[in-house]
Amino acid sequence: MEEENIYTFKRSGSNIDGLLDKVEAGFVYMVDNTKLDFGDISRRDNKAITQEECDEVINIIEQYKSGKVVVIVNEALNDPYNRFGVLNICTMDDDMMPTSLMFYDDEGDLIAYTLDDGPSIGSIWKVVRKTSSYTIAPPLTQAQYDALTVKDEHTLYIITG
């Protein structure tokens, strides 16, 4: 006999009933993927924050400050950024201070999405991925790279010009 009201991920064996119970009880906030799509941010050339992304980041911060656990649930099988997990938030009360949203992707790599000017229109997403073997640094100019006193052999620097 098939049970009703059982929700599972498309990948077999991952039951999310417990999570849904917590969401309904108000302990968890699930990121709205229609407004804040991390895979889309990573793929697009223009990394300027959109109004919808800005609104959702502000909402995420408010939910986090109210004591809720913020989680990401994205099971789009055609997206290499599949994930289900807790979002780590690093920010300050001043809206113009840097804000970072971090999580581990499906390969176990840590990805940080940072807004140097906080969640405000005009801010640009900086995406940095940390793998077990190397870090992909944000784009640098040749002059910035040359000015680095220590060049870590485990960091891949992207030179823009």
Side-chain angles (χ1 to χ4, degrees), residues 5-9 14-17 20 24:
N5 298 324
I6 296 295
Y7 303 92
T8 57
F9 281 118
S14 299
N15 195 312
I16 62 170
D17 275 353
L20 291 175
E24 290 167 6

Side-chain angles (χ1 to χ4, degrees), residues 23 27-32 56 59-60 63 68-71:
V23 170
F27 299 119
V28 173
Y29 175 74
M30 295 175 86
V31 173
D32 186 340
E56 183 62 6
N59 190 30
I60 287 168
Q63 297 293 327
K68 292 186 181 178
V69 175
V70 179
V71 297

Side-chain angles (χ1 to χ4, degrees), residues 35-63:
K35 295 179 181 174
L36 184 61
D37 182 340
F38 292 105
D40 176 61
I41 294 167
S42 293
R43 287 186 295 271
R44 70 183 190 226
D45 292 330
N46 177 3
K47 301 245 190 275
I49 192 170
T50 66
Q51 185 63 58
E52 280 192 331
E53 291 168 349
C54 186
D55 293 343
E56 183 62 6
V57 171
I58 291 169
N59 190 30
I60 287 168
I61 292 168
E62 291 304 314
Q63 297 293 327

Side-chain angles (χ1 to χ4, degrees), residues 2-120:
E2 193 172 317
E3 291 187 51
E4 293 183 19
N5 298 324
I6 296 295
Y7 303 92
T8 57
F9 281 118
K10 292 173 186 165
R11 299 187 188 258
S12 61
S14 299
N15 195 312
I16 62 170
D17 275 353
L19 177 61
L20 291 175
D21 290 343
K22 289 182 173 125
V23 170
E24 290 167 6
F27 299 119
V28 173
Y29 175 74
M30 295 175 86
V31 173
D32 186 340
N33 294 320
T34 64
K35 295 179 181 174
L36 184 61
D37 182 340
F38 292 105
D40 176 61
I41 294 167
S42 293
R43 287 186 295 271
R44 70 183 190 226
D45 292 330
N46 177 3
K47 301 245 190 275
I49 192 170
T50 66
Q51 185 63 58
E52 280 192 331
E53 291 168 349
C54 186
D55 293 343
E56 183 62 6
V57 171
I58 291 169
N59 190 30
I60 287 168
I61 292 168
E62 291 304 314
Q63 297 293 327
Y64 185 78
K65 285 167 51 175
S66 74
K68 292 186 181 178
V69 175
V70 179
V71 297
I72 306 167
V73 176
N74 182 352
E75 50 181 333
L77 294 176
N78 59 348
D79 189 343
Y81 294 89
N82 280 335
R83 63 200 158 275
F84 163 64
V86 175
L87 188 67
N88 189 8
I89 298 125
C90 182
T91 190
M92 298 184 83
D93 283 335
D94 182 354
D95 290 342
M96 297 309 288
M97 296 300 289
T99 297
S100 293
L101 306 176
M102 297 164 281
F103 58 86
Y104 287 94
D105 69 4
D106 60 332
E107 295 178 2
D109 298 335
L110 179 65
I111 306 176
Y113 292 79
T114 301
L115 297 164
D116 286 338
D117 297 322
S120 59

